[in-house]
């Protein structure tokens, strides 16, 4: 199991349009083999910040979905990113 989580930063005036452009990606990811959860959402405090959370059964399934990465129009809009992949060895109830 692995988790991809963090934040990406876009122009605050463009955030709503960026998120709207991600709708199909979220839909596709959630139906992809190995995807346990996938969310892209606006941050409640920082107007240019977008929070990313993905949970996958394996790195191979993540890479099969991700392919060559996001479309160029999304990549160009990103001003910065702090996203990391976490390898999970166990899952427990809180």
């Amino acid at each position: 199991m692995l988790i991809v989580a963090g934040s990406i930063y876009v122009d605050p005036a463009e955030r709503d349009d960026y998120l709207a452009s991600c709708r199909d990606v979220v839909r596709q990811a959630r139906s992809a083999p190995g995807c346990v959860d996938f969310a892209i959402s606006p941050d409640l405090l920082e107007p240019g910040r977008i929070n990313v959370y993905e949970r996958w059964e394996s790195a191979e399934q993540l890479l099969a979905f991700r392919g060559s990465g996001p479309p160029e129009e999304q990549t160009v809009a990103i001003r910065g990113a702090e996203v990391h992949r976490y390898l999970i060895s166990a899952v427990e109830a809180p």
Side-chain angles (χ1 to χ4, degrees):
M1 173 90 46
L2 61 101
I3 292 174
V4 176
S7 303
I8 60 174
Y9 298 88
V10 298
D11 183 322
E14 303 294 325
R15 185 174 74 175
D16 289 344
D17 289 340
Y18 184 91
L19 288 167
S21 76
C22 294
R23 188 176 305 267
D24 286 338
V25 171
V26 172
R27 191 174 295 119
Q28 292 168 6
R30 288 183 180 175
S31 65
C35 181
V36 178
D37 195 9
F38 194 101
I40 301 172
S41 59
D43 187 78
L44 296 177
L45 300 178
E46 294 181 49
R49 178 177 165 169
I50 296 171
N51 298 313
V52 176
Y53 177 83
E54 304 176 33
R55 195 162 41 133
W56 294 87
E57 292 176 359
S58 73
E60 294 78 22
Q61 290 167 317
L62 166 65
L63 293 174
F65 170 75
R66 188 138 356 246
S68 61
E72 186 171 336
E73 62 271 8
Q74 286 182 343
T75 302
V76 170
I78 297 172
R79 292 183 166 187
E82 295 176 17
V83 179
H84 301 284
R85 184 170 77 171
Y86 302 89
L87 301 176
I88 309 302
S89 61
V91 177
E92 301 174 353

